[in-house]
Amino acid sequence: MVHMYDVQQLREVGMREGYTPAKKDEDYYHKDAVITDLLPIPELGLLASAGMSSRSPQSSSDNKICLWRMDTLQPKPPLIGHDRGVYSLDWYADNHLILSAGLDHDVMIWNPHVNKKIFALKGHNHSLVGVKWMPGTNQIISGDISGMFRVWDVRTFATIQTFNCPGLNEINCLAVT
C-alpha cells in the first residue's frame, strides 16, 4: 500500500492499495510485491514506486515502475522494461529522467513524459543495489551486491570509471554524497 499524508495537518489524505483483481487497471499496480523504493518527482507531480515479488526476488512477476499522480494517487501507465524486480530509483533532474536499477544487472534510463525506456546501461555481473545521479554533473553511479561500482556518462551512455570495495561479503545499499 502507498499512503499519502499532509504533514502540515498531521493526517492521512490518501491511500492506494496494491493489487485488487476486480479493478480494470490492475496492471498499474505492484501485484503481490514488496515496494522497494519510492521516488517523488514534484516538478512533474508524480510519485514513482519500484517493486519486487514477495514470493521470490528472482521472479519477474513485478518488474515495473508504477507511476502515480501525486495529488490523487491515481495510476498512470507504468514503465515496463526490467526483466526482474526493481530495487532502486533516482531522478536525474537536469534532464528529467528516471533512473532504475534492479536484479537484472542493468541500469535503465526512462523518459517519464512518454513512458519509454531510453537506454539500458549494461556492464554489471550481479544484481544492483542502487543507482544515483551525481547532481551538477552528467554522471550517474551504480553499485552491485559484489561491491563493483560504475560511473557512467549519461551523454554517451558509457562507463567512465569502475572501482571495487574489496573484502566485503555483500553490499546492500548505495548512497552518494
Side-chain angles (χ1 to χ4, degrees):
M1 287 185 224
V2 176
H3 295 265
M4 184 169 56
Y5 293 89
D6 181 335
V7 294
Q8 304 293 332
Q9 302 293 320
L10 299 175
R11 65 182 180 88
E12 184 176 26
V13 295
M15 186 268 295
R16 190 59 142 164
E17 291 187 48
Y19 172 59
T20 306
K23 296 194 184 268
K24 291 180 182 173
D25 56 358
E26 66 186 51
D27 287 337
Y28 292 142
Y29 301 105
H30 294 289
K31 297 178 187 178
D32 188 35
V34 174
I35 293 176
T36 55
D37 202 1
L38 291 173
L39 175 67
I41 310 170
E43 52 265 55
L44 299 182
L46 294 176
L47 175 70
S49 61
M52 188 175 307
S53 174
S54 60
R55 292 184 192 162
S56 165
Q58 305 299 353
S59 170
S60 63
S61 67
D62 191 38
N63 52 6
K64 64 182 149 298
I65 300 161
C66 296
L67 298 176
W68 313 87
R69 288 181 43 130
M70 211 180 265
D71 55 349
T72 62
L73 287 182
Q74 292 300 308
K76 294 180 60 73
L79 304 176
I80 298 173
H82 279 279
D83 292 332
R84 295 184 177 173
V86 182
Y87 189 72
S88 175
L89 299 171
D90 201 18
W91 176 241
Y92 182 10
D94 286 356
N95 288 331
H96 288 215
L97 300 171
I98 293 175
L99 310 172
S100 63
L103 299 178
D104 55 7
H105 309 180
D106 300 333
V107 173
M108 302 287 184
I109 301 174
W110 306 89
N111 181 339
H113 297 289
V114 293
N115 292 29
K116 294 284 184 195
K117 178 176 66 173
I118 294 173
F119 204 79
L121 301 175
K122 297 181 178 289
H124 285 279
N125 294 321
H126 300 280
S127 298
L128 299 179
V129 298
V131 60
K132 296 292 179 192
W133 168 56
M134 293 187 279
T137 72
N138 289 306
Q139 299 172 353
I140 61 173
I141 186 167
S142 58
D144 67 36
I145 61 171
S146 76
M148 168 63 77
F149 295 88
R150 288 185 173 271
V151 179
W152 308 85
D153 186 325
V154 180
R155 297 169 297 187
T156 60
F157 300 124
T159 300
I160 57 174
Q161 182 180 6
T162 62
F163 57 93
N164 264 327
C165 282
L168 299 173
N169 285 341
E170 188 173 291
I171 302 288
N172 58 26
C173 63
L174 168 66
V176 174
T177 60

